[in-house]
């Protein structure tokens, strides 16, 4: 395929390209909005899960059990079911159960327990001796969280963010079920249901590039903050 | 400065109670370097962690600088801990912070102003000899350098007491010596009370003025280092002292060693000298007096806390009767003596 052929294809398929650009934008909006809200809730939840553990800094086993159970329930519901099951909640929050904004609600709720567990894991990697040293220095619990636990777990947390965003790209493909749009939806409707291999390939290539970019950016950031 | 009164610590493993510390009493004077020695699992780590209440004693009192820590509220304890520095076997530096920022951490926690932090940290890095490493991350430092950073960090809040939890156990011998030198220097310059725990008698010998020996969660013996070395009362104390002067039997002799005397075999004897007997010329005296030859396999003398202390491994060559008389005489001279066997 020569350069001219690409140009010709481009000019002949403006509608398709518009569709792809729009759906890419929808994907980005869904992934990053739900990701952002998910981190805002999921990271503190992960910290809480870690701290309330037995022998944790703010040991509270009953709260830990309750949080843990809630998180596990959230994690065990298949996303496609969550998407549909949450329709009343979505309607209450955004006023409609169809569209990109509507898809963000289940994506966010699906992401929160996922992030919480990943962050909990990242915090677990921080050697307990560091917390002890901080306690011996006379650090208050909030200071330990802010100055020791979170900075020391930062590489792990960034890694968790990366994994979550990539997972959300995958989840967002299902958002088409509730009319959320996005690249995955285009791939399914035009590529799979209409047997249009070109569209299928293009959406896949764009998704691959998107995932690669998120992963590379994440890896790069981890490298920058990781001094272990 | 530090008073440990009737401290007990019980851990529970399932339903089984384990007495990690039983009825420990210790008083540590201002400005001393006090060593606590014990084997792994003896409870010494638990003991030092009880001093700043990282581990809360099951019963008993811990009084530091006149304040009973066990009676304080959580907030008061946090404040009081700022006056008790601590360093650890594995340094526990924050990998996310540079050397400068690690040392600055206790000051940040206490809410000290930025410019004050800067001058204080620079002074401390100067003191521990790491001024040129201020912007380096701990991952790029050697073990000894990491411990120096940890010491600087522990000193940042001007503590009155420094607790050293196996601070040199992860370091090689040469680095251990340099860290001990540094501890001695800060003890002298800042009149800091230092409590250190270790399983190495060499560390106690190196810098401590007083020592306590603990075994199985109990305080076995304590006193000035000189006293303990000169007159150890318990087997445990004797074992630790021996460990500093390593006198093992050469393999060649070990193979030829027998439990009973036969013809052409001579006793292999370990002699322990303490105090005055170190200086007395007993060996040549015994050789002359009892007409035996003494072949010295190895000998080691040390000077600890103002007391001389020596160990010797020797073969007494001569007729059985003469050798026995010589042994009898040496015992009368208050020299600890043990016949290890007979070498053919």
């Amino acid at each position: 395929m020569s350069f001219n052929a690409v140009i010709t294809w481009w000019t002949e398929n403006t509608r398709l390209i518009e569709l792809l650009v729009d759906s890419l934008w929808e994907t980005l909006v869904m992934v990053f909005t739900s990701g952002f809200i998910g981190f805002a809730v999921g990271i503190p939840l992960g910290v809480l899960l870690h701290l309330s553990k037995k022998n944790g800094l703010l040991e509270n086993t009953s709260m830990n059990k309750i949080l843990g159970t809630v998180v596990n329930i959230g994690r065990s519901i298949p996303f496609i079911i969550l998407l549909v099951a949450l329709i009343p909640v979505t309607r209450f929050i955004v006023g409609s159960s169809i569209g990109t904004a509507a898809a963000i609600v289940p994506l966010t709720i699906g992401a929160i327990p996922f992030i919480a567990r990943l962050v909990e894991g990242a915090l677990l990697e921080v050697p307990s001796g560091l917390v002890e040293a901080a306690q011996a220095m006379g650090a208050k619990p909030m200071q330990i969280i802010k100055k020791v636990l979170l900075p020391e777990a930062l590489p792990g947390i960034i890694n968790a963010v990366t994994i979550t965003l990539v997972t959300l790209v995958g989840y967002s493909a299902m958002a088409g079920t509730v009319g959320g749009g996005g690249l995955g939806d285009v791939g399914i409707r035009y590529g799979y249901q209409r047997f249009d291999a070109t569209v299928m390939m293009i959406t896949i290539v764009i998704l691959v590039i998107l995932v690669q970019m998120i992963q590379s950016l994440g890896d790069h950031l981890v490298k920058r903050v990781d001094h272990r | 400065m530090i008073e440990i009164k009737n401290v007990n610590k019980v851990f529970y493993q399932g339903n089984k109670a384990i007495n990690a510390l039983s009825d420990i009493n210790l008083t540590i004077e201002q400005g001393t370097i006090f060593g606590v020695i014990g084997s792994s699992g003896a409870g010494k780590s638990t003991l030092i962690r009880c001093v700043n209440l990282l581990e809360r004693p099951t019963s008993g009192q811990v009084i530091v600088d006149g304040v009973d820590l066990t009676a304080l509220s959580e907030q008061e304890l946090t404040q009081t801990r700022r006056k008790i520095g601590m360093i650890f076997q594995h340094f526990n530096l924050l990998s996310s912070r540079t050397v400068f920022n690690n040392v600055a951490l206790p000051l940040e926690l206490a809410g000290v102003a930025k410019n004050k932090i800067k001058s204080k940290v620079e002074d401390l890095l100067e003191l521990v000899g790491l001024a040129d490493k201020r912007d380096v991350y701990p991952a790029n430092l050697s073990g000894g350098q990491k411990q120096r950073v940890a010491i600087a960090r522990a000193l940042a809040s001007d503590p009155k007491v420094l607790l050293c939890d196996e601070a040199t156990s992860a370091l090689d011998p040469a680095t251990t010596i340099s860290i001990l030198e540094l501890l001695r220097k800060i003890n002298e310059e800042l009149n800091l009370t230092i409590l250190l725990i270790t399983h190495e008698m060499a560390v106690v010998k190196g810098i401590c003025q007083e020592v306590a020996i603990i075994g199985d969660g109990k305080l076995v013996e304590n006193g000035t280092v000189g006293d303990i070395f000169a007159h150890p009362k318990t087997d445990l104390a004797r074992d630790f002292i021996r460990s500093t002067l390593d006198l093992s039997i050469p393999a060649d002799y070990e193979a030829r060693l027998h439990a009973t005397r036969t013809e052409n075999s001579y006793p292999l004897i370990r002699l322990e000298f303490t105090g005055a007997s170190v200086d007395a010329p007993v060996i040549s005296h015994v050789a002359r007096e009892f007409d035996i030859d003494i072949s010295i396999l190895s000998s080691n003398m040390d000077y600890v806390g103002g007391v001389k202390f020596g160990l010797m491994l020797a073969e007494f060559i001569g007729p059985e009767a003469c050798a026995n008389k010589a042994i009898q005489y040496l015992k009368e001279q208050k020299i600890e003596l043990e016949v290890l066997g007979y070498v053919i």
Side-chain angles (χ1 to χ4, degrees):
Chain A
M1 197 155 74
S2 70
F3 184 66
N4 277 338
V6 174
I7 298 288
T8 325
W9 184 88
W10 189 274
T11 45
E12 280 171 5
N13 291 281
T14 41
R15 276 202 55 206
L16 178 63
I17 286 156
E18 237 171 71
L19 177 74
L20 286 171
V21 171
D22 284 348
S23 57
L24 173 63
W25 174 246
E26 284 161 0
T27 295
L28 291 176
V29 168
M30 284 190 289
V31 168
F32 285 94
T33 313
S34 60
F36 186 78
I37 304 170
F39 299 135
V41 182
I43 292 177
L45 186 60
V47 171
L48 216 54
L49 271 172
H50 178 69
L51 296 179
S52 61
K53 228 173 266 176
K54 197 168 174 351
N55 296 324
L57 198 56
L58 305 169
E59 182 179 328
N60 187 337
T61 31
S62 50
M63 184 177 79
N64 185 273
K65 272 205 186 107
I66 295 168
L67 285 180
T69 313
V70 170
V71 164
N72 284 347
I73 291 172
R75 298 261 287 120
S76 52
I77 301 172
F79 183 66
I80 190 84
I81 295 171
L82 192 70
L83 199 63
V84 180
L86 282 177
I87 284 176
V89 181
T90 308
R91 196 172 284 143
F92 176 76
I93 295 174
V94 289
S96 159
S97 60
I98 321 169
T100 310
I104 289 172
V105 175
L107 279 173
T108 307
I109 290 173
I112 289 170
F114 188 69
I115 296 164
R117 280 293 184 215
L118 286 174
V119 168
E120 187 194 5
L123 291 169
L124 210 59
E125 298 276 298
V126 178
S128 60
L130 296 186
V131 174
E132 214 160 66
Q135 281 177 316
M137 269 174 233
K140 301 183 197 102
M142 268 318 276
Q143 290 179 315
I144 294 178
I145 296 167
K146 269 182 8 206
K147 291 190 181 280
V148 178
L149 278 176
L150 289 177
E152 286 294 311
L154 192 58
I157 292 175
I158 293 177
N159 208 17
V161 167
T162 312
I163 294 172
T164 307
L165 289 176
V166 169
T167 306
L168 282 172
V169 171
Y171 279 3
S172 73
M174 292 177 231
T177 324
V178 294
L183 281 170
D185 185 37
V186 171
I188 291 168
R189 283 193 293 133
Y190 290 74
Y192 180 68
Q193 287 162 351
R194 287 198 200 166
F195 307 106
D196 188 338
T198 317
V199 175
M200 175 72 96
M201 282 309 294
I202 293 170
T203 53
I204 290 173
V205 168
I206 296 174
L207 284 172
V208 168
I209 294 171
L210 181 61
V211 168
Q212 282 292 348
M213 279 168 56
I214 293 172
Q215 189 65 50
S216 307
L217 187 68
D219 290 347
H220 175 74
L221 283 175
V222 168
K223 217 180 243 170
R224 275 197 50 182
V225 300
D226 193 356
H227 299 288
R228 286 176 292 189
Chain B
M1 179 50 76
I2 305 175
E3 268 184 89
I4 298 169
K5 284 187 179 167
N6 307 319
V7 163
N8 284 282
K9 176 74 191 178
V10 185
F11 287 116
Y12 290 95
Q13 237 172 28
N15 287 328
K16 219 174 81 195
I18 296 162
N19 287 307
L21 294 174
S22 4
D23 210 22
I24 304 276
N25 284 289
L26 275 180
T27 305
I28 297 160
E29 298 297 333
Q30 154 77 30
T32 46
I33 304 184
F34 194 104
V36 174
I37 188 163
S39 333
S40 337
K44 55 190 190 308
S45 238
T46 311
L47 177 63
I48 200 165
R49 291 157 55 83
C50 278
V51 175
N52 61 0
L53 257 57
L54 279 180
E55 205 83 71
R56 196 170 270 277
T58 311
S59 66
Q61 285 177 305
V62 178
I63 299 164
V64 177
D65 198 21
V67 180
D68 180 1
L69 299 188
T70 53
L72 296 180
S73 71
E74 208 49 53
Q75 282 86 351
E76 289 169 321
L77 180 61
T78 300
Q79 291 298 323
T80 313
R81 274 179 178 156
R82 294 187 178 152
K83 291 291 159 207
I84 307 173
M86 188 169 192
I87 58 174
F88 304 84
Q89 178 174 6
H90 297 296
F91 325 119
N92 291 346
L93 298 176
L94 301 196
S95 68
S96 56
R97 285 174 170 244
T98 59
V99 165
F100 182 95
N101 286 324
N102 261 291
V103 179
L105 181 60
L107 300 168
E108 280 177 34
L109 296 176
V112 176
K114 272 236 164 70
N115 54 339
K116 271 194 185 155
I117 291 182
K118 188 167 179 288
S119 66
K120 178 89 196 172
V121 173
E122 277 166 359
D123 287 351
L124 285 165
L125 289 178
E126 200 68 52
L127 177 75
V128 299
L130 284 177
D132 56 327
K133 298 282 185 199
R134 55 169 286 169
D135 296 322
V136 173
Y137 284 93
N140 300 320
L141 296 176
S142 69
Q145 290 170 329
K146 283 182 196 168
Q147 199 57 289
R148 282 168 188 270
V149 177
I151 291 171
R153 181 176 70 175
L155 295 179
S157 46
D158 295 318
K160 298 190 167 123
V161 172
L162 179 64
L163 307 176
C164 309
D165 186 356
E166 295 272 13
T168 58
S169 299
L171 303 174
D172 62 66
T175 313
T176 296
I177 290 171
S178 80
I179 292 294
L180 294 181
E181 279 306 318
L182 176 62
L183 289 176
R184 199 208 317 269
K185 180 173 129 188
I186 57 179
N187 164 254
E188 280 164 9
E189 283 180 16
L190 311 171
N191 193 25
L192 192 69
T193 309
I194 298 181
L195 171 60
L196 61 86
I197 63 154
T198 179
H199 60 266
E200 297 166 305
M201 202 62 178
V203 170
V204 172
K205 207 176 74 182
I207 61 165
C208 295
Q209 287 131 21
E210 288 184 52
V211 62
I213 296 169
I214 67 172
D216 222 5
K218 293 184 192 69
L219 185 65
V220 174
E221 215 171 319
N222 70 315
T224 65
V225 173
D227 266 353
I228 298 282
F229 266 77
H231 312 289
K233 292 182 202 71
T234 56
D235 287 341
L236 194 61
R238 252 174 243 125
D239 284 347
F240 275 117
I241 291 166
R242 261 187 217 139
S243 70
T244 70
L245 302 171
D246 178 36
L247 279 197
S248 45
I249 305 167
D252 163 43
Y253 276 83
E254 189 88 67
R256 291 190 280 134
L257 204 61
H258 295 278
T260 51
R261 183 159 185 152
T262 56
E263 217 173 321
N264 298 328
S265 77
Y266 300 107
L268 183 67
I269 291 166
R270 180 170 56 208
L271 300 121
E272 257 180 63
F273 306 91
T274 41
S277 66
V278 177
D279 289 330
V282 282
I283 294 297
S284 58
H285 182 81
V286 163
R288 238 188 353 258
E289 187 86 355
F290 301 100
D291 198 23
I292 55 169
D293 289 314
I294 296 177
S295 155
I296 297 172
L297 300 188
S298 57
S299 175
N300 204 337
M301 200 196 87
D302 217 324
Y303 189 75
V304 180
V307 172
K308 279 187 213 160
F309 175 79
L311 266 185
M312 183 184 282
L313 211 55
E315 211 180 335
F316 284 15
I317 301 168
E320 189 171 359
C322 297
N324 285 346
K325 267 192 236 157
I327 290 169
Q328 194 52 44
Y329 172 79
L330 286 169
K331 279 186 176 158
E332 280 159 18
Q333 302 303 305
K334 298 235 157 45
I335 291 166
E336 282 279 336
L337 181 147
E338 187 185 353
V339 179
L340 300 170
Y342 299 89
V343 180
I344 295 176

